[in-house]
Amino acid sequence: PWLRVRQVAVHGTERLTAAGFRTVLGRQVGAPILLVDLDRVRAELAKSPGVLAAKVARRLPDTLEALVTERRALARAALGGRLVLIDAEGMVFSSLRALPADARLPEIRGLSTLPGAPRLNAQ
């Protein structure tokens, strides 16, 4: 029973909520900590459009820990009737938590996205 995942921890979230990341990590609770596929868990965490990068580590004896690096918004826009943020790579993402600095971001108008893609098109 020892060396099994009993706890999960998430760090680095400001715009996104840690709850969704805890759910992903929580699927490993009860698994032998040394057998957890950290790359697979990291890849699953990194699927969120608001995530630039994620790292997952074991903290023996019983904790999986994730460090999330969120995308940094450089501009905002309205797409499909909702406010979205845009980073330096042109990645469009939404924020679960508005930050006070969001109101000072430049607003881009007249944008459209490619069907099924979260990046802006060349137009």
Side-chain angles (χ1 to χ4, degrees):
W2 55 284
L3 290 180
R4 293 196 178 271
V5 177
R6 291 198 177 121
Q7 301 178 65
V8 297
V10 178
H11 307 285
T13 58
E14 184 177 25
R15 289 187 177 282
L16 304 170
T17 62
F21 300 113
R22 277 193 212 100
T23 299
V24 171
L25 292 170
R27 293 184 197 129
Q28 303 301 320
V29 170
I33 197 165
L34 298 176
L35 299 180
V36 172
D37 185 344
L38 297 181
D39 287 333
R40 185 180 56 75
V41 174
R42 182 206 50 77
E44 191 171 350
L45 293 174
K47 285 181 186 177
S48 174
V51 174
L52 180 62
K55 294 179 183 179
V56 180
R58 297 176 182 94
R59 297 290 176 240
L60 297 177
D62 63 0
T63 304
L64 275 185
E65 189 173 64
L67 175 60
V68 175
T69 303
E70 297 179 338
R71 292 188 175 278
R72 184 171 164 250
L74 296 181
R76 60 191 167 107
L79 285 176
R82 65 186 180 111
L83 176 68
V84 295
L85 302 170
I86 304 161
D87 75 355
E89 297 174 348
M91 180 66 78
V92 176
F93 61 99
S94 59
S95 176
L96 296 176
R97 292 186 193 128
L99 301 179
D102 291 350
R104 295 187 299 274
L105 290 173
E107 184 174 347
I108 299 174
R109 297 177 189 212
L111 298 178
S112 63
T113 59
L114 296 170
R119 292 184 188 275
L120 298 176
N121 67 22
Q123 299 172 345

